[in-house]
Amino acid sequence: MEDIQNKLMPYICDANSAVQFKLVKSKEDLETDDGFFFPDMSHQIFGEKEQIFGFTDLKLRIYYTASSLQIHTKLLYGRKINPEQFDGVKADDIMKSVREVLPANVIENVDDFSKKLDGEPNFKPFGEIIYNYTRQQKGKSTKRNFEIYKADMTNPNFKEYHQRIESFILWFIDAACFIDSDDDKWDFYVVFEKCTEGGITSHLFVGYSTCYRFYAYPDKIRPRISQVLVLPPYQRQGHCTELITAIYQQYVPKAAVLDITAEDPSENFQRVRDFIDSKNCLKLPEFQDSKLGQKFSKEMRKAAQEKYKINRRQARRVYEILRLRITPENDDVAFTKYRLAVKSRLN
Ligand SMILES: CC(C)(COP(=O)(O)OP(=O)(O)OC[C@H]1O[C@@H](n2cnc3c(N)ncnc32)[C@H](O)[C@@H]1OP(=O)(O)O)[C@@H](O)C(=O)NCCC(=O)NCCS
């Protein structure tokens, strides 16, 4: 028994390192071994253990054209288990599992996929541009340009584009599920890098967020930020911060918006949200140092809600963050007071 287990061991792969994504900008990108990024998780595709059985040196490469997100897959491995030598034990049907989570029109043939690259500069983002910003190029004096577009399902062909975007989420968002995009209460915000080379402008996909306009009694709406994703090559460069800021700019000025909520936020997303909300609230008289030393007040909740559409729970969280910021670490009395203020929420 132990013997057969030892023999099977080399055929077990960690799915999170076997699956590799690449955003393809040129035909050369299809040949090279660099520029890949990996999923954060794969349990929704390959099961709890996030393992794939039956191959050695497995690589499942999922290529996306960098603008229009056309998809091509390539399976590479050293050896595949031979059932005749292992009591009929078969390799997992990886492609079946992956096909279930990819849109239907994956391009099987690499030459066909490669031809799609010629049309990439013709790709135009869906919807309307609502926001733009720049980032300094690493080690250069030039800036990179980014644009955020707001789209919905009335934009022709956006449904298919969204399906291709959505094919990323199970690999990066815990408990993610595909949305019913036919529901017209969804708004979509998509971030692109705008690149101009040799007079040709392209829009490269960076990340996106969905937002559902919930009804709030009696005559308001309560937008809920749902899926948020910034692809790993673009993470930790402030794109989510810009994206959320752009979304706030859309909803905050609207009288019909009661407050903005977030669906089951991940820790990383919650930190970004805390950062934006705290920075905003610092501009309000109700969140100045003299007030923060006291209890969380009705005035704070009201100001956060009216000025920034922050809901009660998040306003309270912001208060705790900002109060901690002004509490001297070595002042035992002030720290005890802070702890008691937090405790009063937990009781
Ligand atoms: C959560 C997520 C959207 C954040 O996107 P992001 O673009 O990396 O976010 P930002 O760059 O605005 O901020 C992230 C961090 O980078 C830091 N940062 C921002 N600009 C930076 C820069 N130029 N250099 C270094 N760090 C920077 C921020 O301070 C922040 O720090 P923190 O980790 O202490 O909070 C992204 O990590 C993601 O898509 N994760 C997987 C999916 C997910 O969890 N989605 C949320 C589901 S609700």
Side-chain angles (χ1 to χ4, degrees):
M1 186 66 182
E2 210 171 287
D3 191 35
I4 182 112
Q5 268 178 357
N6 286 340
K7 282 186 180 158
L8 290 175
M9 281 297 278
Y11 291 96
I12 299 172
C13 307
D14 169 36
N16 294 337
S17 40
V19 175
Q20 313 182 338
F21 298 97
K22 189 165 185 172
L23 298 168
V24 182
K25 297 183 194 112
S26 66
K27 295 187 182 169
E28 292 74 57
D29 286 346
L30 278 167
E31 313 294 332
T32 56
D33 274 334
D34 55 1
F36 285 97
F37 59 94
F38 299 87
D40 287 345
M41 63 197 72
S42 54
H43 56 91
Q44 298 205 75
I45 300 99
F46 296 115
E48 269 318 298
K49 287 191 177 162
E50 306 196 313
Q51 288 176 340
I52 302 172
F53 174 75
F55 303 86
T56 63
D57 301 317
L58 180 70
K59 291 185 184 82
L60 169 60
R61 293 185 158 170
I62 310 183
Y63 296 97
Y64 287 76
T65 57
S67 296
S68 68
L69 301 179
Q70 304 290 335
I71 305 168
H72 170 66
T73 57
K74 185 173 179 180
L75 189 64
L76 299 165
Y77 53 85
R79 277 174 292 134
K80 184 173 178 180
I81 199 161
N82 181 350
E84 283 173 22
Q85 290 170 2
F86 288 92
D87 290 339
V89 176
K90 282 192 198 149
D92 291 344
D93 190 345
I94 316 172
M95 294 319 291
K96 180 171 176 279
S97 308
V98 169
R99 256 183 243 116
E100 276 169 19
V101 298
L102 290 179
N105 47 0
V106 170
I107 302 169
E108 302 286 346
N109 182 292
V110 68
D111 294 328
D112 292 343
F113 180 76
S114 183
K115 276 187 210 137
K116 290 275 180 199
L117 290 168
D118 301 332
E120 283 294 277
N122 299 329
F123 171 83
K124 295 278 170 290
F126 298 89
E128 51 161 342
I129 182 167
I130 55 157
Y131 189 91
N132 59 36
Y133 59 96
T134 57
R135 281 288 168 282
Q136 195 68 43
Q137 292 257 43
K138 256 195 199 140
K140 292 187 189 166
S141 60
T142 45
K143 291 198 163 142
R144 296 167 71 180
N145 295 295
F146 295 88
E147 293 181 342
I148 301 180
Y149 284 74
K150 181 180 181 192
D152 59 43
M153 287 301 159
T154 61
N155 300 117
N157 301 326
F158 182 66
K159 187 171 178 162
E160 291 72 25
Y161 189 64
H162 173 254
Q163 277 171 359
R164 298 199 288 276
I165 297 179
E166 211 177 26
S167 65
F168 284 115
I169 66 170
L170 299 181
W171 309 94
F172 293 100
I173 303 177
D174 216 2
C177 55
F178 294 160
I179 62 170
D180 171 11
S181 59
D182 287 329
D183 186 331
D184 63 7
K185 293 207 170 51
W186 285 109
D187 290 331
F188 301 85
Y189 297 90
V190 189
V191 187
F192 293 97
E193 177 166 7
K194 185 182 175 186
C195 298
T196 305
E197 253 180 61
I200 297 173
T201 299
S202 317
H203 284 84
L204 313 177
F205 177 79
V206 171
Y208 88 125
S209 172
T210 58
C211 195
Y212 192 83
R213 280 172 280 115
F214 276 98
Y215 163 74
Y217 181 82
D219 56 357
K220 302 258 178 199
I221 56 164
R222 178 172 261 162
R224 186 198 275 174
I225 297 171
S226 186
Q227 288 91 347
V228 185
L229 174 67
V230 171
L231 289 181
Y234 290 99
Q235 283 176 9
R236 300 193 62 84
Q237 297 160 34
H239 294 299
C240 182
T241 306
E242 299 284 3
L243 176 58
I244 301 309
T245 304
I247 294 175
Y248 278 9
Q249 280 188 7
Q250 289 292 299
Y251 300 117
V252 168
K254 291 201 168 90
V257 171
L258 181 65
D259 55 24
I260 303 165
T261 61
E263 183 178 346
D264 200 9
S266 70
E267 251 178 61
N268 286 341
F269 175 71
Q270 183 61 43
R271 267 206 310 278
V272 175
R273 185 182 180 210
D274 289 342
F275 170 71
I276 299 170
D277 290 345
S278 301
K279 242 174 78 174
N280 280 335
C281 285
L282 268 179
K283 294 179 210 151
L284 300 172
E286 292 78 2
F287 284 82
Q288 296 311 304
D289 291 4
S290 58
K291 306 273 170 60
L292 287 169
Q294 298 160 29
K295 280 187 187 161
F296 178 65
S297 66
K298 232 177 17 204
E299 289 72 31
M300 287 175 179
R301 185 184 66 73
K302 204 162 164 260
Q305 198 257 327
E306 281 174 2
K307 293 282 180 337
Y308 297 112
K309 305 286 163 91
I310 296 172
N311 64 27
R312 184 197 171 92
R313 198 165 152 208
Q314 179 67 5
R316 166 92 210 200
R317 203 176 149 89
V318 166
Y319 155 78
E320 287 176 11
I321 291 168
L322 295 181
R323 181 163 177 177
L324 180 62
R325 179 173 161 271
I326 57 152
T327 305
E329 257 178 72
N330 46 9
D331 182 337
D332 288 348
V333 176
F335 231 88
T336 304
K337 273 190 177 169
Y338 175 75
R339 276 210 310 273
L340 289 174
V342 174
K343 228 174 142 189
S344 70
R345 167 173 58 85
L346 303 174
N347 285 338

